[in-house]
């Protein structure tokens, strides 16, 4: 059973007052470069919350998540996984569970991020989710990887060093820093990560307790 915690109205200033979820840590692929060190969700209050979800002390099952999403008002923006990733088996996304969530999201504006590798099947599931209105952003760690992913028609985000410019063009692709980091606006106000066909790659500058380590990991 996949354990998911639902926060009906986030109190996180950066996110804003929208629904957010947290999925148990086993949903994260071990291939993520931040799996062992560098993950922002492994420090601070979120880390304590995530551990309780992962240990089964908090949350609901996947059906509970999908029922909650189905009951959201049409047009409601919500963020899946402030921590965690899409359910999988040995790195292969569970298409059945993802499909169930995508159907529940019909008429809503759900979005999330994934560090799962873009094998043929994973890419297929991600494309289907985006086509059906549930935005799955592919997380990358280099500009070249981000360009490659973006050019495949997938919504793309990238982690960059803290001293990166706020905006630039790399290999013909526009990059812009998350407005929360440059303008202080919340996800509830911005909504850019929920737009699957946006014309840019969104950058997240390394932050948190491990920002130095993260900055050293990412690059061109």
């Amino acid at each position: 059973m996949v354990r998911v915690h639902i926060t009906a109205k986030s109190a996180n200033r950066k996110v804003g007052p929208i629904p957010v979820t947290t999925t148990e840590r086993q949903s994260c692929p071990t291939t993520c470069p931040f799996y062992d060190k560098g993950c922002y969700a492994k420090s601070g209050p979120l880390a304590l919350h995530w551990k309780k979800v992962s240990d089964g002390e908090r949350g609901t099952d996947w059906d509970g998540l999908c029922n909650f999403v189905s009951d959201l008002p049409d047009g409601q923006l919500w963020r899946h996984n402030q921590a965690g990733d899409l359910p999988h088996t040995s790195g292969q996304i569970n298409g059945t569970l993802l499909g169930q969530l995508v159907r529940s999201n019909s008429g809503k504006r759900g979005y999330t991020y994934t560090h799962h590798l873009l094998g043929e099947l994973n890419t297929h599931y991600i494309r289907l989710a985006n086509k059906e209105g549930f935005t799955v952003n592919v997380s990358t760690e280099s500009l070249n990887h981000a360009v490659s992913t973006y050019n495949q028609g997938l919504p793309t985000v990238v982690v960059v060093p803290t001293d990166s410019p706020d905006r630039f063009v790399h290999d013909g692709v526009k990059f812009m820093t998350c407005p929360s980091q440059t303008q202080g606006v919340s996800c509830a106000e911005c909504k850019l990560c929920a737009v699957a066909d946006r014309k840019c790659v969104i950058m997240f500058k390394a932050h948190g307790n491990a920002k130095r380590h993260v900055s050293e990991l990412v690059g061109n």
Side-chain angles (χ1 to χ4, degrees), residues 13-30:
R13 179 180 56 83
K14 291 183 179 180
V15 177
I18 61 173
V20 298
T21 66
T22 306
T23 302
E24 62 182 41
R25 189 169 185 260
Q26 72 173 18
S27 65
C28 290
T30 57

Side-chain angles (χ1 to χ4, degrees), residues 59-124:
T60 183
D61 59 14
W62 198 257
D63 285 341
L65 166 66
C66 292
N67 290 337
F68 172 81
V69 173
S70 293
D71 289 340
L72 290 173
D74 284 350
Q76 174 66 56
L77 182 77
W78 68 281
R79 175 178 173 175
H80 183 44
N81 290 342
Q82 61 176 339
D85 208 309
L86 299 174
H88 68 100
T89 300
S90 300
Q92 182 172 299
I93 294 171
N94 187 317
T96 299
L97 295 184
L98 178 57
Q100 183 183 356
L101 182 58
V102 169
R103 290 188 294 274
S104 299
N105 181 67
S106 179
K108 287 77 174 176
R109 297 190 63 187
Y111 70 99
T112 192
Y113 310 87
T114 184
H115 264 108
H116 283 299
L117 297 179
L118 292 182
E120 183 176 355
L121 197 54
N122 283 353
T123 302
H124 171 70

Side-chain angles (χ1 to χ4, degrees), residues 140-163:
T140 62
E141 289 73 45
S142 76
L143 301 185
N144 291 336
H145 186 196
V147 167
S148 174
T149 302
Y150 176 85
N151 285 338
Q152 294 179 55
L154 298 171
T156 305
V157 300
V158 61
V159 179
V160 295
T162 55
D163 58 354

Side-chain angles (χ1 to χ4, degrees), residues 40-58:
Y40 74 93
K42 294 176 71 175
S43 62
L46 180 54
L48 298 176
H49 171 59
W50 196 17
K51 185 177 188 304
K52 288 183 180 294
V53 176
S54 301
D55 290 345
E57 298 178 32
R58 295 178 179 173

